[in-house]
Amino acid sequence: MVNSLQQEYLSTGEPAADDAKRKGAVVFRLRMQKLRGEEFYLSYDPHASQLSHENNKRLIVQAHDFGHDVVPLRPWADAPTVSPQNPLNKSASLRTLRIQLGRHVDCRSAGDAEVIDSLEDARTFAERLPQWLSSEPQSPLQVEFWGCEPFTQWPALEYLGSFFAENRSPVEIKVITTGCVLDQNMISWLERLQVLVVVRHDGPAQKFNRGEDVFDEPVKAENLRQLYQRLNPTGKIRFCCRLSGYNHSLSAVKEYLAAHLGCRAQGIPLTTEEMLFSGGEKDCFSGPKAEADPTALRHALFSEISHGMAVHAYSIKEKLQDFYRSLAYERPSSSLGQFCAMDREDSLAVDLKGNALTCPLASAREGRAIGHVSDYANIRLDTAWHWSRREECPRCPVLQLCKGGCMKLEGEEWRRACDHRFAFHLPLFAAGLYFLTGGVLREIEGKVLRRPDLPGVIPVVHPGVLG
Ligand code: SF4
């Protein structure tokens, strides 16, 4: 749900990235195979964004080849490399403000959450905003409402959304929702304020992944259909899915949504939160979860993207274009911030009590507060690790697409999250190379591939999947 293009740093006058700071050259050998069987090898350096044939001849990607305007190359600036030892302060001049509503209450389902953020909390929050948020934004302020289900906190959401729309310009408002507690009043409000609505729905796996499906209940289903019909013409609605052991296919999600919304699958604006990961982020559904099979997912995703069936899903398209952009401009890895953008000085997550949080999925109740807006200068992001601080990411071939996993995880949880991100980004990397060279990525070989205890050669895609 984060635009991956946000997460690179162009020089604003600071010294350009110093390649010498990189942790030594990391080059991967890629075994490619044409559909007729002929093999060839490429080498890829994800830190210098260079792709070469075996004879060292560089494979040149031009910006206009992937529909990108050619822009004069500015020097790259180093991204901040946050860690507990190197914490990050937050700027009062924010680009993104993520507000957590009603998170981490004991609820049986997303729509069942109790009201914990009152109208009074929202009023107090709004009154105190001028004390810590700059009043002269250089660019639009993106205000996002997160939480288990923000619409269960409707009086607070309505008040704050309207407050930003009336008092802040330019502003873009976004709500991430399950869509299961909408009513006519809410739909009209969203339409009037031109809010971008992201509806979390996993298509045919919804009930298994999240415990309930809004389309099983006629009134809720009809409200979601109306929301779609009213917002889709202005591009203000998207669906966001997770892939899991119950479904590896983005096309299946589109088909499912189209059948229930009464429209064509082609027109469904779909993005993805990638893969369901039990033991990762807590959500309202505590039932058993089936994780995707990495091999089956890799082949399904590669096949769907290569056949053009999934390439138009927002996050897939953005990531592929961004990968080509990295090659065209030889983007150094030192300019890469985290994929979620929460390691930026100008991104802040807060709850309505004024706690600054590691991210909008973290909770102050679980010790994830990183300060308080009443003492803004002392907010310190010290509960996160930039990708360069991890063992795996500097030695990962999909670094330029993935941009690091969840920055707040540690230990085994981190390793599992990284494995999931690797499984998801490998087929994207393979598809990107396929469109570029016509070859299928059979194997990747590296001196070390992420961790020394993992194999140094891994299979990626069998060309048979294109058959
Ligand atoms: S796949 Fe894992 S190692 Fe590679 S960049 Fe992502 S989080 Fe880091």
Side-chain angles (χ1 to χ4, degrees):
M1 280 181 279
V2 175
N3 180 350
S4 57
L5 296 180
Q6 288 178 348
Q7 278 311 79
E8 62 188 27
Y9 285 75
L10 287 167
S11 177
T12 51
E14 308 100 73
D18 180 357
D19 276 359
K21 284 183 193 163
R22 292 200 283 116
K23 298 186 172 172
V26 178
V27 178
F28 296 97
R29 192 163 187 250
L30 313 178
R31 180 159 76 90
M32 311 290 296
Q33 187 179 329
K34 296 262 187 195
L35 293 183
R36 289 193 307 273
E38 172 200 342
E39 285 196 353
F40 62 101
Y41 286 84
L42 297 172
S43 62
Y44 174 58
D45 177 347
H47 292 283
S49 293
Q50 290 180 352
L51 188 64
S52 310
H53 289 282
E54 264 209 308
N55 57 8
N56 282 335
K57 197 167 165 222
R58 289 270 310 286
L59 215 144
I60 307 293
V61 178
Q62 305 284 359
H64 53 72
D65 287 347
F66 55 98
H68 198 279
D69 289 342
V70 180
V71 292
L73 192 57
R74 282 196 279 150
W76 302 94
D78 287 351
T81 57
V82 67
S83 72
Q85 292 72 37
N86 186 34
L88 179 97
N89 287 89
K90 295 287 179 173
S91 160
S93 187
L94 292 176
R95 184 162 73 159
T96 307
L97 177 61
R98 294 183 170 150
I99 301 174
Q100 183 189 89
L101 291 177
R103 175 74 181 170
H104 289 306
V105 287
D106 295 324
C107 49
R108 282 182 291 104
S109 65
D112 185 44
E114 63 181 280
V115 176
I116 62 165
D117 290 314
S118 65
L119 180 57
E120 207 41 50
D121 290 331
R123 286 201 174 112
T124 308
F125 182 88
E127 271 166 26
R128 292 182 180 159
L129 268 172
Q131 293 165 17
W132 54 272
L133 183 62
S134 156
S135 59
E136 292 173 24
Q138 306 302 313
S139 52
L141 175 67
Q142 173 125 356
V143 178
E144 301 178 2
F145 292 98
W146 293 66
C148 199
E149 173 44 67
F151 284 96
T152 57
Q153 316 295 311
W154 171 240
L157 172 60
E158 182 186 30
Y159 181 84
L160 273 181
S162 303
F163 175 86
F164 279 107
E166 286 160 18
N167 295 286
R168 188 85 187 192
S169 178
V171 69
E172 292 166 2
I173 302 172
K174 179 165 153 180
V175 183
I176 293 91
T177 175
T178 60
C180 64
V181 288
L182 292 171
D183 63 25
Q184 291 301 315
N185 185 28
M186 294 170 184
I187 295 171
S188 298
W189 179 81
L190 291 165
E191 190 178 28
R192 196 170 62 251
L193 265 59
Q194 300 187 317
V195 174
L196 174 63
V197 182
V198 178
V199 182
R200 286 181 150 147
H201 198 290
D202 297 343
Q206 172 71 9
K207 213 178 321 185
F208 306 107
N209 292 350
R210 306 194 198 241
E212 63 179 352
D213 186 345
V214 58
F215 291 118
D216 285 346
E217 298 184 45
V219 175
K220 292 181 180 182
E222 183 51 32
N223 283 338
L224 187 53
R225 271 191 286 276
Q226 282 204 24
L227 181 77
Y228 176 72
Q229 282 160 12
R230 285 163 70 173
L231 299 196
N232 192 45
T234 53
K236 288 293 184 183
I237 187 166
R238 288 183 187 179
F239 290 87
C240 182
C241 68
R242 292 178 301 182
L243 301 175
S244 71
Y246 295 110
N247 175 42
H248 291 139
S249 164
L250 292 173
S251 298
V253 177
K254 279 196 168 195
E255 297 286 350
Y256 184 93
L257 291 172
H260 288 81
L261 292 168
C263 61
R264 292 176 58 216
Q266 225 180 359
I268 297 283
L270 184 69
T271 183
T272 172
E273 291 177 271
E274 305 172 6
M275 292 161 72
L276 178 145
F277 166 39
S278 60
E281 287 305 338
K282 288 186 179 157
D283 58 26
C284 289
F285 179 54
S286 56
K289 295 191 167 81
E291 295 183 356
D293 170 60
T295 308
L297 178 115
R298 201 163 63 235
H299 285 109
L301 210 45
F302 175 78
S303 170
E304 285 198 338
I305 298 171
S306 305
H307 284 115
M309 291 147 70
V311 75
H312 296 297
Y314 281 104
S315 45
I316 305 289
K317 191 173 171 182
E318 275 177 1
K319 279 177 186 278
L320 288 179
Q321 286 197 331
D322 190 50
F323 173 51
Y324 293 142
R325 176 184 158 83
S326 74
L327 294 172
Y329 294 103
E330 296 184 359
R331 179 174 63 200
S333 61
S334 53
S335 67
L336 290 181
Q338 289 295 116
F339 78 98
C340 62
M342 289 314 302
D343 64 335
R344 294 186 65 108
E345 288 181 349
D346 56 7
S347 294
L348 180 70
V350 287
D351 64 21
L352 278 205
K353 314 291 184 231
N355 295 304
L357 306 167
T358 309
C359 77
L361 302 176
S363 163
R365 292 184 187 189
E366 294 173 344
R368 293 287 183 181
I370 56 169
H372 196 275
V373 293
S374 59
D375 187 15
Y376 202 87
N378 281 318
I379 293 175
R380 297 253 188 293
L381 178 58
D382 57 1
T383 48
W385 286 262
H386 180 255
W387 65 260
S388 63
R389 308 277 178 168
R390 305 284 193 179
E391 180 185 18
E392 293 87 348
C393 306
R395 298 183 287 197
C396 176
V398 301
L399 171 65
Q400 290 279 345
L401 293 105
C402 170
K403 300 176 183 171
C406 176
M407 65 181 191
K408 67 180 185 301
L409 295 182
E410 299 173 61
E412 188 50 31
E413 231 179 29
W414 151 257
R415 278 188 285 281
R416 294 190 58 232
C418 167
D419 290 347
H420 279 75
R421 286 190 68 82
F422 192 60
F424 180 83
H425 286 92
L426 260 187
L428 269 68
F429 181 53
L433 293 172
Y434 174 67
F435 290 136
L436 209 55
T437 67
V440 174
L441 176 59
R442 296 296 312 269
E443 259 176 21
I444 303 180
E445 183 184 342
K447 205 165 155 196
V448 174
L449 262 168
R450 294 193 296 147
R451 288 193 292 274
D453 60 330
L454 292 171
V457 182
I458 52 160
V460 183
V461 175
H462 191 283
V465 301
L466 290 179

